[in-house]
Amino acid sequence: MRRLRVGVLDLVTKSPNPSLYGRIMNANLASIMPQVIGVWCEREGHDVTLVCYTGLEDLLEELPKELDVLFIGAFTQSAQLAYALSNLFRSRGAVTVLGGPHARCYPEDACRYFDYVLGFTDRSVVSDLLRDCRPHRPLGVHLSAPTQPVELPTLRERWKFTEATLRKAPTIKIVPMVGSLGCPYTCSFCIDSTVDYQPLGFDDLRDDLAFLLTKIKNPIVGWHDPNFGVRFDDYMEAVEAAVPPGRMRHIAESSLSLLSEPHLQRLQKNGFRAILPGIESWYDLGNKSKTRQKGMDKVRLVADHVNMILRYIPYIQTNFVLGLDGDMGPEPFELTKTFIDLAPGAFPAYSLLSAFGRAAPSNLDYQRADRVLPFPFHFLNNNHAMNVRPKNYSWTEFYDGLIDVTSYSFSWRAIARRVPATATAIPKWMNFVRAVSSEGFGRIKYHTTIRRLLDTDASVRAYFEGETTELPEFYLNRVRQELGPMFDHLPAGALYHDQNAYLGTVIEEPAMAPVPLRSRRAG
Ligand code: B12
Ligand code: SF4
């Protein structure tokens, strides 16, 4: 086989000029799979250049001009940037491949702009593709392994890519690792609810942790497992076998139900410093926090649990989803404000209810009810647009509640109370920077602008109400400004997508098995 010049691009962000928090943290949010793709391509004998885009680089300078194949890993918020880059590199002769959350959620749309769109990706999908990587235009080919890969290259194998990415993190450096894929639970709003749980091998994990200690003095590991700690004892044994006490710190996403006091004691002993449980809502999705309580009872229970966690783990981010169907009236917002008072040490992260294409079975219900709005992908990051019309709120009521709870959470009073409620310096500093940067103050400003436009700009209101699909100037200008020179490379029509494409495929193909498949045209 010919030796190919392969580019791999990890789009951590969607535009240049990241916030203060972004400058410090973006390189720490890099994905594992682009590094994995880099290893697999090299194993096939090709030359690989991997670039992690954190918003500071000049993309066109960092990527070689002459490439045979360009792999791009993108979240949906980076889709328009990815489409523009694909267009540009195709015009220079490269074959382009998209993978990652956007490819899994919107394959029909992505096939319009890429030669290949990958769902589940294992080594054989990549080697087959490289063996015969012909362009596919105008419509790309959608390929997927039958299941998630049963093994991934170890950290040791992908180290040169990991290390190069971490060089971009100026202070805190978080090493991305994964020990399992899928989840045994079946929360219908989650992308992993239909993916079998599968650990990736605890021997490799042990070896990787030991390897990491030879590379970084006191490393911080960021676990990308969808639900860390399902096989809790196996994980802890792997850590305990490989890492002497006090030599490594860890960050993980885990559900509250896994964070019992005995588990917390062991996590503390093993250096777990930050944990990100999902609370989601006081009325909906109780299955995730494993409590049957609702309303104020749930607030008290969860606040007690969070305060208990803070006795063992110095940093906790509590994740909420706003606008769920179980929420109604001002009470859910008021309850969250009470939670902020009762658990002042938690950093609240708010997500606007979002239906990411095929991500979750519950998205079909929103599409059937015609509640999904066609906001350009660029805005779909849980914050810059809510693409599901709320069931029990008008838009103005919803935005009033959203601004109220965000302002309360990032008021100087709440910021000041958060500082003493955490025990150590880095959590105090992180909480402060996040609050005064794009996540706190930045969101208050952004949501306030949207709320104003709902009153003053008829095109915005009509778009939110689903009366028109013509994109309001406000959003068009923003995407143009944020993409900068890349906006000119955006193919015609690429700001628009069929928001009900998933429903269309289910009606036509009742059995949606994740088998190798050829994509059909997106609407
Ligand atoms: C860990 C995680 C994070 C971590 C790490 C992110 C990262 N860079 O990977 C952190 C906390 C930083 C994070 C942040 C965010 N996240 Co997140 N995150 C996850 C989570 C829980 C696991 C993803 C994971 O790594 N799985 C392990 C990998 C190996 O498996 P996989 O993702 O299934 O990937 C397979 C294929 O997609 C493919 N593949 C993946 N990447 C690539 C790349 C290439 C080039 C190729 C060819 C193939 C390929 O191969 C894999 C094996 O089959 C998922 C939910 C979930 N359960 O999947 C959400 C999820 C991916 N996150 C989501 C979102 C929205 C975000 C944020 C925008 C939230 C926010 N507002 O801040 C940010 C965006 C960060 C960014 N980099 O842009 C959404 C994405 C939806 C979408 N379509 O965009 C998800 C699906 C959760 C959800 N809401 O449903 N996240
Ligand atoms: S929300 Fe969490 S517990 Fe539920 S299926 Fe997804 S990863 Fe598993």
Side-chain angles (χ1 to χ4, degrees), residues 8-14 26 28-37 40 71-78 97-106 118-122 126 145 147-149 152 176 178 180-183 189-193 195 200 223-227 253 276 317 350-351 354 356-357 359-360 380-383 439 443:
V8 183
L9 177 60
D10 179 7
L11 294 179
V12 169
T13 188
K14 58 179 175 175
N26 278 353
N28 292 314
L29 309 183
S31 299
I32 290 174
M33 278 308 287
Q35 302 175 9
V36 163
I37 300 289
W40 282 337
F71 286 86
I72 300 182
F75 281 62
T76 290
Q77 63 167 341
S78 304
V97 188
L98 182 74
H102 185 66
R104 267 183 72 186
C105 295
Y106 295 97
L118 306 191
F120 291 151
T121 306
D122 59 13
V126 173
T147 62
Q148 284 283 31
L152 293 174
V178 66
S180 66
L181 299 171
C183 182
F189 58 90
C190 173
I191 195 167
D192 268 318
S193 57
V195 183
L200 285 167
W223 293 97
H224 286 201
D225 300 49
N227 192 358
E253 286 195 45
L276 292 74
Q317 170 183 309
Y350 301 117
S351 289
S354 304
F356 288 103
L380 298 189
N381 62 358
N382 292 332
N383 294 295
E439 275 188 90
R443 298 240 169 103

Side-chain angles (χ1 to χ4, degrees), residues 347-348 350 352 383-384 399-415 418 434-452 474 478:
F347 187 92
Y350 301 117
L352 304 182
N383 294 295
H384 288 135
Y399 267 86
D400 285 342
L402 170 65
I403 293 165
D404 184 38
V405 73
T406 315
S407 306
Y408 193 89
S409 308
F410 303 112
S411 60
W412 285 113
R413 174 180 174 272
I415 294 171
R418 215 167 276 136
R434 291 180 76 179
V436 301
S437 182
S438 55
E439 275 188 90
F441 290 2
R443 298 240 169 103
I444 299 171
K445 191 166 165 233
Y446 182 80
H447 297 325
T448 306
T449 303
I450 303 296
R451 175 65 186 85
R452 182 175 46 74
F474 170 79
R478 201 171 161 105

Side-chain angles (χ1 to χ4, degrees), residues 71-134:
F71 286 86
I72 300 182
F75 281 62
T76 290
Q77 63 167 341
S78 304
Q80 262 92 27
L81 175 58
Y83 290 176
L85 285 163
S86 173
N87 194 23
L88 175 64
F89 277 87
R90 278 168 145 193
S91 72
R92 292 180 179 171
V95 164
T96 61
V97 188
L98 182 74
H102 185 66
R104 267 183 72 186
C105 295
Y106 295 97
E108 299 84 3
D109 197 74
C111 276
R112 296 161 69 184
Y113 308 106
F114 279 82
D115 295 298
Y116 298 88
V117 174
L118 306 191
F120 291 151
T121 306
D122 59 13
R123 187 175 173 189
S124 67
V125 166
V126 173
S127 61
D128 289 352
L129 189 157
L130 292 173
R131 212 165 296 129
D132 177 26
C133 64
R134 275 173 294 170

Side-chain angles (χ1 to χ4, degrees), residues 187 189-190 277-289 298 317-328 332-333 336 348-356 362-363 366 371 381-383 385-388 390 393 398 402 405:
C187 316
F189 58 90
C190 173
I279 294 170
E280 319 304 354
S281 149
W282 305 116
Y283 289 98
D284 250 335
L285 312 180
N287 45 353
K288 202 173 176 195
S289 48
K298 183 172 173 186
Q317 170 183 309
T318 47
N319 295 330
F320 296 89
V321 181
L322 303 181
L324 286 159
D325 286 3
D327 289 349
M328 200 180 294
F333 299 109
T336 306
Y350 301 117
S351 289
L352 304 182
L353 174 62
S354 304
F356 288 103
S362 59
N363 293 355
Y366 299 130
R371 287 173 56 196
N381 62 358
N382 292 332
N383 294 295
M386 168 155 153
N387 73 341
V388 182
Y393 296 96
F398 178 75
L402 170 65
V405 73

Side-chain angles (χ1 to χ4, degrees), residues 263-274:
H263 278 190
L264 287 165
Q265 286 162 349
R266 203 161 168 196
L267 288 169
Q268 180 188 40
K269 192 172 127 264
N270 286 327
F272 280 72
R273 295 297 173 87

